[in-house]
Amino acid sequence: MLKIGCHLSLSHGYLAMGETANSIGADTFAFFTRNPRGGKARPVDPDDLGALQALTAAKDFAALVAHAPYTLNLCSDKPDVRQFAEETMAEDLALLEHLPGNYYNFHPGCHMKQGRDAGIELISSALNRIMKPECHTRMLLETMAGKGTEIGRTFEELRDILLSLDDPDHFGVCLDTCHVFDAGYDIVHSLDAVISEFDRVIGLHNLYAIHLNDSKNELGSHKDRHEKIGKGHIGLPAITAIIRHPALRDLPFILETPNELEGYQEEIELLKSLADTEEA
Ligand code: ZN
Ligand code: FE
Ligand code: FE
């Protein structure tokens, strides 16, 4: 059974997100742990977090995929920017201890012309300080479109980060379909080859979640502009192949498409019906 949800707003609290997800047919979801531009987290309300944890268990949700603020940069050329990213992520992981067993997804960072290797070194050393052995959350590095100096445009860059981690069992990868397409991986014409490539370089055992987005731009554009499902250059046939693929279909799928709730509900319904067809 396809497990799918969308990005939701935390503005009414944690339980409210679970209820909203449930009401639109979702059985996982994503949220920003705080204002995506950084800033302070909302005060921790353990009862609210506990209520969400109970709801997701009762409704048999797949793992949730919390998203770090996308402005954080673990490999900035500015030490205070790196420090802020590191502190924010550590604080988010402490918060997520109230929701054990879920994922915390983040953009690896932009090396700001320090070079790929220097960036990777800064990212992995920060992750080694952030992750504690007792943590109950898995951190997921996201595949990136390769805008500017973004790290994570190639599977090799993510592999090199994973290889430098002291505690790789606490980490994994979240594959964003718009990002890999924009990065130049042709999931439209060669899905099997891209998945084999991922397996060869990173290993499919390291893949834990999918951001399911169409793309406003062409293969290899390095743009990162998400489009509604079936309305972009990836298109519905390729997206259907992705949700049905044996290597992917049991993972949680998160929509980050430009939609309000109603649009998300329609996409979830459509994708659930497309995923089911094959099993029938
Ligand atoms: Zn992201
Ligand atoms: Fe994404
Ligand atoms: Fe994106």
Side-chain angles (χ1 to χ4, degrees), residues 107 142-148 150 176-184 187 211-235 239 255-259 264 267:
H107 297 180
E142 184 165 346
T143 61
M144 300 308 293
K147 259 189 286 120
E150 263 173 8
D176 186 309
T177 56
C178 167
H179 296 179
V180 291
F181 183 74
D182 286 17
I187 52 176
H211 282 171
L212 191 64
N213 302 306
D214 212 322
S215 175
K216 283 197 199 294
N217 294 288
E218 280 160 33
L219 179 71
S221 63
H222 304 302
K223 287 272 195 349
D224 187 4
R225 305 247 345 262
H226 301 187
E227 182 53 284
K228 293 184 178 152
I229 296 300
K231 302 281 193 283
H233 285 87
I234 298 178
I239 284 174
L255 297 162
E256 297 175 312
T257 47
N259 274 306
Y264 278 135
E267 288 186 346

Side-chain angles (χ1 to χ4, degrees), residues 2-41:
L2 181 70
K3 297 284 190 185
I4 187 164
C6 60
H7 202 97
L8 294 174
S9 161
L10 178 52
S11 56
H12 298 288
Y14 286 89
L15 177 59
M17 287 193 293
E19 286 169 341
T20 300
N22 190 47
S23 77
I24 60 170
D27 31 32
T28 176
F29 62 92
F31 59 98
F32 285 122
T33 47
R34 60 187 74 213
N35 184 309
R37 279 174 248 289
K40 273 208 130 2

